[in-house]
Amino acid sequence: MALTIPSPQPTSHSPPFQVHRFPQDQYIDALRWLPQLSAFHRHVLLATFNSDTSISSLQTLTYTPNSPPNLSLQSSYPTPSRITSLKTLLIPQSPKPLIVASTLSGSLLFLSADLVNGSLDFEFSVPEKGFHRGPVSGIDVDGNGSGSVVSVGEDGKINLIGIGSEGRGSNQRFFDSNGLVSYSTVKWASPFEFVTGGLGYSLQWWDQRRPGGPVSQFKGNWSSGTTSGIVHSVDIHPSRKHTCLAGGSSGTVFAWDLRWQHQPVILSGAGTPETYSPSESEIWEVQYDNYTHSSNIRNVSSSRVLPAMICSEDGILAVIEQGEVPMELLAEPCAINSFDIDKENPSDVICSLEWESIAILTRS
């Protein structure tokens, strides 16, 4: 049963919206929308952890946005350890979306979701041995045609895993820093290029056609104090592949444009008085928000950063835009660990709360 909460007082030019909360009996490590089969039945993918039994699992849930809305378990698949990163991909000419999940023990799981018959089916896996030493900290699935998954870890390794019909399950070591550099997140930019993030607010741009190291890199120098910041999440917009959006420590959100590599655009962050910062804690996830149109739409150039959504350790879900007051969507008494904007219906947002709960926002 959902708890329908009146929407918070809008800030800036935020539209009205509804919030439905669904209490859970397990911790939610990550969540994603799954492809929509109909307007009346939606599906959600969860990575869960039961602290009482120490059992972790992947689950598909059916979301019925009727009045009242309902979220019910459809299928479950046990995993060897907790999930650290979760991605999905709709493969052409296949009715079953592919699920890729990295684990705390260092393996990679590939499953398919049969949303019609309600099952999660194991496809193949990449075991811990010879893959990463320790947890896999980040993965991304290329939807642009290369048919590859890229994985990164704190051990400084970058791997490419094939998911196509020919190289399915093949594992190629693309780079190994031998522990000198660690990576926390990764995102494809093109079939050949991807970006990684890590300590020191650092970003690295890689090109498979130019192996041996990053073709370009950036390290933020605006942080104060003795604690070095870290990039937790990155995103790249399909229409702005030269620009990387990054979120990390101390509420920091910035954009790195390859055309002006030494001039990052700071969107948010503690100690940056020239920006409006909705949070001063860890930014766990960032995504470009295709639903929110720029307030300066007539003057949107390729150098202007598109609106983005963030979630934070201090319970903030907000939309930020360059030079504008943030639009605060949620202000929770606990951390918001993960969120996802529905690609097919970007007015809908789902997020996981630290206190074993799921919130679904519908923006009108």
Side-chain angles (χ1 to χ4, degrees):
M1 181 66 67
L3 302 176
T4 302
I5 310 296
S7 58
Q9 191 69 27
T11 60
S12 181
H13 48 280
S14 62
F17 56 90
Q18 283 189 325
V19 183
H20 303 291
R21 287 179 171 82
F22 301 88
Q24 305 293 302
D25 57 1
Q26 301 178 78
Y27 187 87
I28 311 299
D29 284 321
L31 44 65
R32 291 288 179 262
W33 288 105
L34 286 169
Q36 189 170 331
L37 296 182
S38 72
F40 305 103
H41 294 91
R42 315 273 295 281
H43 292 86
V44 175
L45 176 66
L46 302 182
T48 67
F49 175 73
N50 190 317
S51 58
D52 295 328
T53 61
S54 297
I55 294 176
S56 55
S57 64
L58 291 171
Q59 299 179 356
T60 58
L61 285 75
T62 301
Y63 174 57
T64 307
N66 294 335
S67 185
N70 183 56
L71 192 64
S72 58
L73 178 66
Q74 184 188 50
S75 62
S76 180
Y77 184 91
T79 59
S81 62
R82 296 181 72 166
I83 300 302
T84 57
S85 187
L86 189 62
K87 300 294 180 179
T88 63
L89 176 66
L90 188 58
I91 299 177
Q93 302 173 341
S94 174
K96 301 178 182 180
L98 180 69
I99 296 168
V100 187
S102 61
T103 69
L104 195 64
S105 59
S107 62
L108 203 59
L109 305 175
F110 293 81
L111 296 92
S112 59
D114 188 340
L115 302 179
V116 176
N117 297 312
S119 64
L120 280 169
D121 303 319
F122 176 80
E123 296 291 334
F124 63 96
S125 67
V126 179
E128 296 93 336
K129 187 176 182 180
F131 187 48
H132 282 281
R133 184 177 298 174
V136 182
S137 54
I139 58 171
D140 194 33
V141 183
D142 175 37
N144 297 308
S146 74
S148 296
V149 174
V150 58
S151 71
V152 297
E154 296 179 1
D155 58 358
K157 292 181 174 63
I158 301 177
N159 295 317
L160 298 174
I161 303 93
I163 57 176
S165 57
E166 295 183 1
R168 189 183 191 208
S170 61
N171 177 23
Q172 172 193 351
R173 178 67 44 75
F174 179 74
F175 183 77
D176 188 352
S177 72
N178 296 311
L180 297 177
V181 180
S182 65
Y183 307 106
S184 55
T185 183
V186 63
K187 182 73 177 181
W188 284 103
S190 75
F192 298 101
E193 301 165 292
F194 57 87
V195 65
T196 57
L199 289 172
Y201 296 114
S202 64
L203 296 173
Q204 301 84 25
W205 193 275
W206 307 80
D207 191 329
Q208 295 183 68
R209 297 162 295 191
R210 299 166 63 185
V215 296
S216 185
Q217 50 188 328
F218 168 80
K219 186 173 183 179
N221 57 4
W222 58 81
S223 61
S224 58
T226 58
T227 302
S228 177
I230 184 172
V231 171
H232 295 298
S233 177
V234 292
D235 195 18
I236 295 177
H237 195 278
S239 68
R240 306 281 182 91
K241 293 186 177 181
H242 50 75
T243 304
C244 174
L245 179 72
S249 304
S250 302
T252 301
V253 182
F254 66 97
W256 180 45
D257 195 321
L258 289 177
R259 299 169 300 177
W260 301 286
Q261 296 187 22
H262 302 292
Q263 298 177 347
V265 178
I266 311 300
L267 302 176
S268 168
T272 52
E274 66 275 10
T275 65
Y276 302 98
S277 299
S279 169
E280 295 185 356
S281 66
E282 305 298 307
I283 302 297
W284 292 125
E285 191 155 7
V286 294
Q287 288 186 27
Y288 280 109
D289 184 15
N290 293 331
Y291 177 80
T292 300
H293 297 290
S294 173
S295 60
N296 195 15
I297 193 68
R298 294 183 179 180
N299 192 31
V300 173
S301 67
S302 62
S303 62
R304 184 176 177 85
V305 182
L306 298 174
M309 187 174 293
I310 65 164
C311 70
S312 69
E313 176 66 24
D314 54 4
I316 300 298
L317 182 74
V319 176
I320 58 175
E321 184 181 350
Q322 184 178 352
E324 301 293 335
V325 177
M327 291 186 283
E328 189 176 280
L329 302 178
L330 286 179
E332 297 294 312
C334 63
I336 300 178
N337 300 310
S338 176
F339 76 91
D340 193 31
I341 302 172
D342 191 342
K343 294 180 177 62
E344 297 171 292
N345 191 15
S347 62
D348 291 348
V349 182
I350 188 169
C351 59
S352 62
L353 310 182
E354 180 85 17
W355 292 351
E356 299 185 351
S357 181
I358 294 172
I360 296 179
L361 290 78
T362 302
R363 299 180 280 182
S364 60

